[in-house]
Amino acid sequence: MDSPAVPVPRDPQEQPILERLLRTRDALLLLKRDKSSYIKSRDVIPLYETVIQEVEQLHAVREGQDPRQPHNRLDYVLDDCFQLISLLFLTVGKNNEAPAVYSLATTVKRLLDHLEEAGFYSSKDLSSITKTLADMRQTLERGRQAYSPALLKLLESRIQQCEWHLESLQKGLSILAPELAPTHETLVSILRSTSAVNTRSKFSPSEVTSLRKQLEKIQGSLKDGQFIGADGAPLQGQDSLKALLERCWRWTEIVLEREGQISEGFQEQYERLVEIRNQLDRLSVTQAWSLRETDLFEFQRKLDRIDEARVNGNFVSPDGQQADLHAQRTLLYLIRRSYAYIYALLISSEPVSEALLPVYNQLQTLRRCLLEVKESGGVSNSRELYPYSMKLNSIDNMRVDGKFYVGSDIPEGQGSINALLAECYDIAWELRASVDEEDERS
């Protein structure tokens, strides 16, 4: 799990902290891997408190030192511990607690780094991250009184870095005239779609050709090589847009030439990244029923190690050769796409313990079905509501004194499930009331 290039701590006072954190990380990994029963809050909290104690000792040891010193093995193990604790908090349904923020903050930082490196991104990318960072800030503020200042300081620093980075990227888009925004979105989409075709198991030249036709249409909208506004004047920010258009032409051309075949020296890295991307893609489809948030840890670490192995931003083959443009862009696309999947899975995690997820998912499905019935015109008689009412009653009967128990435990997420159950009852009542009104009229 650790990179062999990471140095050990130089300060002898850090060594015992590292050894204790290694044992804690092992305990966290064992908890993550145990699928024999659901993870409980009482299993996670003591391990969180142990890590916080070590962080406070580490702060005392490093007091007065230059914070810009390179990270050693202790820092990487500590990061592993916080990542695991964060994902465990999500797994037990404590999504709105401060420790749960850590993994998401780390993933957002990776995404922003890659967006900046890629040099192209859409306003939709940034708007989602803007909302996520605002939500993370709220979670942090709620935890001011409940959590260690050491944790809050760490999270504050992570979020602040992301906010500064986001602001820089937003400035990059602000130079575009509003009339150019749709064209910019289209070009970003074309670049990503071309990369997606390039990494499929079966290459499709016709899809790339179709994307080039979109480029021809955009190219044809230029007048004397300029994007012109309604007033006949050249639009602001078009130099960056024309550069992006040229990049699209070049990339589609390269992809058509290579037909999805990557350089031999980078085949192994390519296959590893394709497998990670495909596994995350499958998880995103079946998330509600199969995702245990702690499973994302292995994906994060695999991606981090591949990403960090680059030399000056370049991928290097086992024999020391730098990647050509096609291999470089292909591998970077796969890493970025995988981080984007992890981000999407994290922000869509529900504040419900995995122990109650089966019930929560059933209610989500029931709610969707009831809404579809309502939107399609309702029911013709109350008998059509019997299957929904029976399912609602069977779930309601699982409660004891208004709570869902698993054994003697009361898992997290009671409020979310009770709210969803009440909403389902309300929709069913509305459907039944509309049938009764129809009967009275007739």
Side-chain angles (χ1 to χ4, degrees):
M1 190 181 300
D2 298 311
S3 168
V6 178
V8 296
R10 290 184 179 180
D11 189 330
Q13 294 181 81
E14 291 189 10
Q15 190 60 40
I17 299 175
L18 171 60
E19 290 170 3
R20 290 193 295 270
L21 280 174
L22 283 168
R23 289 195 291 272
T24 303
R25 186 180 70 178
D26 289 343
L28 288 163
L29 287 169
L30 282 172
L31 185 59
K32 177 190 92 69
R33 290 169 184 157
D34 183 7
K35 300 293 178 75
S36 61
S37 63
Y38 74 92
I39 297 172
K40 306 170 187 67
S41 296
R42 64 172 179 269
D43 299 327
V44 181
I45 300 300
L47 291 169
Y48 158 75
E49 291 171 347
T50 299
V51 172
I52 289 298
Q53 288 171 10
E54 300 302 334
V55 170
E56 290 169 349
Q57 289 200 32
L58 182 60
H59 282 178
V61 169
R62 291 183 175 177
E63 189 176 1
Q65 293 182 12
D66 185 350
R68 294 169 296 181
Q69 286 188 10
H71 283 189
N72 61 35
R73 192 176 180 219
L74 172 54
D75 296 289
Y76 281 90
V77 173
L78 184 59
D79 181 51
D80 283 344
C81 290
F82 273 124
Q83 288 276 18
L84 285 162
I85 285 167
S86 180
L87 293 170
L88 284 164
F89 265 67
L90 293 175
T91 303
V92 300
K94 289 182 172 288
N95 300 44
N96 299 318
E97 302 288 328
V101 166
Y102 187 92
S103 184
L104 187 53
T106 303
T107 303
V108 168
K109 176 66 166 59
R110 291 273 181 182
L111 275 179
L112 291 170
D113 286 341
H114 277 287
L115 290 177
E116 182 179 50
E117 182 183 22
F120 69 90
Y121 45 90
S122 71
S123 58
K124 291 177 183 175
D125 296 327
L126 302 189
S127 61
S128 172
I129 291 174
T130 300
K131 182 182 182 305
T132 299
L133 286 173
D135 291 343
M136 288 160 62
R137 273 253 171 238
Q138 288 183 359
T139 301
L140 201 62
E141 292 306 317
R142 281 197 305 269
R144 289 285 176 200
Q145 304 304 317
Y147 287 96
S148 160
L151 171 72
L152 297 173
K153 183 179 178 182
L154 176 64
L155 293 175
E156 173 73 33
S157 173
R158 292 289 173 105
I159 293 173
Q160 199 167 66
Q161 285 178 9
C162 290
E163 288 171 338
W164 288 338
H165 210 152
L166 176 65
E167 186 179 349
S168 173
L169 293 175
Q170 286 170 333
K171 284 179 181 176
L173 287 182
S174 66
I175 63 171
L176 285 174
E179 298 97 317
L180 291 179
T183 304
H184 180 265
E185 294 273 353
T186 300
L187 290 175
V188 169
S189 176
I190 288 172
L191 268 177
R192 290 176 176 168
S193 298
T194 305
S195 295
V197 175
N198 180 50
T199 55
R200 291 208 186 111
S201 56
K202 188 174 181 181
F203 183 74
S204 172
S206 62
E207 287 188 63
V208 182
T209 303
S210 175
L211 292 168
R212 284 175 70 87
K213 286 179 181 176
Q214 291 185 50
L215 294 176
E216 288 171 4
K217 187 176 179 181
I218 293 171
Q219 192 83 46
S221 69
L222 295 170
K223 294 179 181 177
D224 297 325
Q226 302 278 321
F227 288 99
I228 304 298
D231 60 357
L235 291 167
Q236 179 187 339
Q238 65 176 286
D239 287 345
S240 65
L241 197 66
K242 285 191 283 188
L244 189 57
L245 176 60
E246 182 57 37
R247 183 172 178 177
C248 287
W249 278 119
R250 180 66 183 134
W251 184 228
T252 53
E253 183 182 315
I254 291 171
V255 168
L256 281 172
E257 286 174 3
R258 300 296 289 267
E259 296 185 332
Q261 298 300 311
I262 199 162
S263 304
E264 187 176 341
F266 298 91
Q267 187 66 36
E268 184 180 344
Q269 292 179 61
Y270 174 76
E271 289 174 357
R272 285 167 63 199
L273 285 169
V274 165
E275 179 58 25
I276 291 170
R277 190 271 312 267
N278 291 347
Q279 287 177 333
L280 287 167
D281 183 33
R282 287 192 290 272
L283 261 182
S284 69
V285 174
T286 61
Q287 175 203 359
W289 303 96
S290 63
L291 176 66
R292 192 185 217 188
E293 284 84 355
T294 49
D295 294 340
L296 295 176
F297 178 76
E298 304 297 342
F299 293 113
Q300 287 174 322
R301 280 297 168 257
K302 286 175 185 176
L303 289 169
D304 293 348
R305 298 305 176 245
I306 295 170
D307 203 8
E308 292 161 4
R310 293 191 283 153
V311 179
N312 298 322
N314 297 311
F315 289 94
V316 179
S317 68
D319 61 0
Q321 295 297 310
Q322 286 194 358
D324 60 21
L325 184 60
H326 177 259
Q328 179 76 8
R329 285 191 180 175
T330 300
L331 296 174
L332 279 176
Y333 165 76
L334 288 168
I335 285 182
R336 290 171 190 143
R337 187 72 185 124
S338 297
Y339 277 129
Y341 273 127
I342 291 173
Y343 169 75
L345 289 165
L346 287 173
I347 63 172
S348 57
S349 172
E350 300 288 356
V352 175
S353 166
E354 63 174 341
L356 293 180
L357 271 180
V359 176
Y360 186 78
N361 290 333
Q362 288 176 53
L363 284 171
Q364 288 273 51
T365 303
L366 192 55
R367 176 180 172 275
R368 279 196 297 271
C369 292
L370 286 166
L371 285 174
E372 285 175 12
V373 170
K374 184 179 177 181
E375 289 165 6
S376 63
V379 293
S380 55
N381 58 71
S382 57
R383 286 193 299 275
E384 292 179 30
L385 288 172
Y386 285 171
Y388 304 108
S389 299
M390 288 175 64
K391 185 62 182 176
L392 277 173
N393 287 330
S394 71
I395 293 174
D396 199 355
N397 289 336
M398 293 168 64
R399 296 193 292 179
V400 178
D401 297 328
K403 297 183 177 65
F404 290 91
Y405 282 77
V406 176
S408 59
D409 295 319
I410 306 175
E412 299 283 340
Q414 300 286 328
S416 297
I417 293 186
N418 283 327
L420 193 54
L421 180 61
E423 186 181 358
C424 289
Y425 269 125
D426 287 344
I427 300 169
W429 181 86
E430 286 176 26
L431 290 167
R432 185 174 290 108
S434 64
V435 171
D436 292 342
E437 287 175 12
E438 198 65 38
D439 289 344
E440 287 175 9
R441 289 196 198 102
S442 58

